[in-house]
Amino acid sequence: MKKLLVICGATASGKTALAVECAKRVDGEIISCDALLVYRRLNVGTAKPTAEERRGIPHYLIDVADPRERFSVSDFERLALPILEDILSRGKTPVLCGGTGFYMNALLFRSSFGNAAASEEIRTKYEKIAELSGREYLHVLLREVDSETAEKLHPNDVKRVIRALEIFELTGRKKSEQHDAPIPRYPYSAFAFDYPREILYDRIGRRIDGMLLHGLVSEVKGLLAAGIPENAQCMQGIGYKEVVECLKNGNQESIMRDIIARNTRNYAKRQLTFFKKLPELHFIEPKPIEKAAKEVVDIYES
């Protein structure tokens, strides 16, 4: 069976360019693992790759959701797994590319939930709580009884949050106490650029400046004018929420830019912390994309 090739890491680290160059070399097709790229009409603030940047390589899980919709990890898994299996069935190499760790892990691993039984009644109860009170409230309930598991699960991953609550209610034991290890679905090798912090932060700053130059504010105005609520899930993404606040409060664009930069740097740190825990991860020194891709493919094929 072909191994999956994973390109992950911090925002603005050059993941897309590296993934495309690697896909060219391994006869690959790219599955985007990014929580904002799933949304149509969010282009500038997501650095959505253009047709030119994709260089003829098929890209999946981009532009699959309406901006008004909520889109969860479970939604991503439901759409992405059949695509991954189709790529494999055609003898191609799936290249997973993105910075949303929960999406990446949903494809790389099956979660083991021990031997606890299932209860349709309990699941239905928590599904109704999520529907009436929101996913964040459901996540708070899990944090109150099993903070370690809650730390590992995103509030949007309702299916797994409910299962963890179900285990606790059925057994009186935390899911985290079962020491369940993630089970790889397929063999894979993962890669990320290892930038010095100051260089990564400079890249982040230049990306934000480019987004503002290419119309991020106009994009957000257009989304709001089209009836996308400011509290929509997609509008909580970094870049979008700060522009919304700027438009509401009349802040100077320079202040808005600095807030976006600060929030993006903090997000990049969280991404790196997350991915450093990924088994089979290789950090590679920054270098021109062609040389980096050769290094990645040499390790991947070894």
Side-chain angles (χ1 to χ4, degrees):
M1 177 184 293
K2 277 184 175 284
K3 285 196 299 183
L4 311 186
L5 176 56
V6 176
I7 306 296
C8 59
T11 188
S13 61
K15 296 185 295 293
T16 298
L18 180 58
V20 168
E21 183 62 31
C22 289
K24 286 282 188 183
R25 295 168 183 248
V26 298
D27 192 21
E29 299 184 359
I30 293 174
I31 298 177
S32 169
C33 299
D34 186 288
L36 287 182
L37 288 183
V38 300
Y39 289 107
R40 294 184 285 274
R41 300 186 59 186
L42 274 69
N43 301 320
V44 178
T46 62
K48 189 171 290 178
T50 63
E52 181 180 1
E53 290 169 330
R54 298 182 200 189
R55 296 170 57 195
I57 299 294
H59 282 61
Y60 302 97
L61 272 294
I62 294 177
D63 292 335
V64 296
D66 184 273
R68 296 171 182 81
E69 298 174 356
R70 296 189 67 86
F71 194 89
S72 70
V73 179
S74 297
D75 294 326
F76 176 82
E77 182 180 346
R78 173 178 52 83
L79 293 178
L81 265 179
I83 292 171
L84 188 155
E85 291 164 359
D86 175 66
I87 294 171
L88 287 170
S89 73
R90 291 185 281 109
K92 305 282 188 177
T93 301
V95 180
L96 277 54
C97 175
T100 303
F102 293 108
Y103 282 19
M104 192 79 74
N105 279 3
L107 290 186
L108 291 177
F109 304 108
R110 294 183 180 89
S111 291
S112 171
F113 292 108
N115 297 316
S119 167
E120 191 64 34
E121 181 182 355
I122 292 174
R123 288 187 186 182
T124 300
K125 177 182 73 173
Y126 284 119
E127 286 169 356
K128 288 181 179 178
I129 289 174
E131 183 178 347
L132 293 173
S133 302
R135 300 173 181 195
E136 290 76 11
Y137 177 73
L138 191 74
H139 195 258
V140 168
L141 294 182
L142 177 59
R143 191 183 308 127
E144 289 174 350
V145 298
D146 187 353
S147 59
E148 186 176 341
T149 298
E151 186 68 25
K152 296 177 180 178
L153 296 177
H154 193 279
N156 288 340
D157 196 357
V158 174
K159 177 181 175 182
R160 290 184 173 86
V161 171
I162 288 177
R163 179 55 177 155
L165 285 164
E166 179 186 24
I167 287 172
F168 182 80
E169 190 160 331
L170 284 169
T171 68
R173 295 180 59 221
K174 303 174 183 178
K175 177 187 174 300
S176 57
E177 292 175 346
Q178 300 186 20
H179 303 293
D180 295 326
I183 303 168
R185 297 180 190 272
Y186 306 98
Y188 72 90
S189 291
F191 301 87
F193 278 123
D194 187 18
Y195 279 103
R197 180 170 294 185
E198 64 275 10
I199 295 179
L200 178 61
Y201 286 1
D202 179 67
R203 290 177 63 93
I204 287 171
R206 285 188 281 116
R207 169 174 281 189
I208 293 167
D209 291 338
M211 288 175 175
L212 292 171
L213 181 65
H214 288 95
L216 174 59
V217 174
S218 295
E219 179 170 90
V220 174
K221 286 180 178 178
L223 291 167
L224 294 172
I228 310 302
E230 65 180 59
N231 63 349
Q233 181 178 325
C234 72
M235 299 295 266
Q236 306 314 303
I238 296 174
Y240 291 92
K241 62 183 178 182
E242 293 86 356
V243 173
V244 168
E245 286 302 310
C246 178
L247 295 173
K248 285 171 58 179
N249 301 323
N251 296 335
Q252 293 181 359
E253 188 167 302
S254 61
I255 295 175
M256 177 193 73
R257 187 264 181 208
D258 290 343
I259 295 173
I260 295 174
R262 181 195 67 202
N263 291 344
T264 305
R265 291 193 297 268
N266 289 337
Y267 177 55
K269 286 189 284 188
R270 294 195 300 273
Q271 287 176 302
L272 290 170
T273 298
F274 186 99
F275 285 118
K276 283 178 180 177
K277 300 175 184 177
L278 183 65
E280 307 301 326
L281 176 64
H282 305 268
F283 277 106
I284 59 174
E285 294 296 321
K287 53 179 64 67
I289 290 298
E290 292 79 7
K291 291 184 178 181
K294 182 181 185 306
E295 179 179 343
V296 166
V297 172
D298 285 348
I299 297 172
Y300 168 77
E301 293 181 341
S302 63

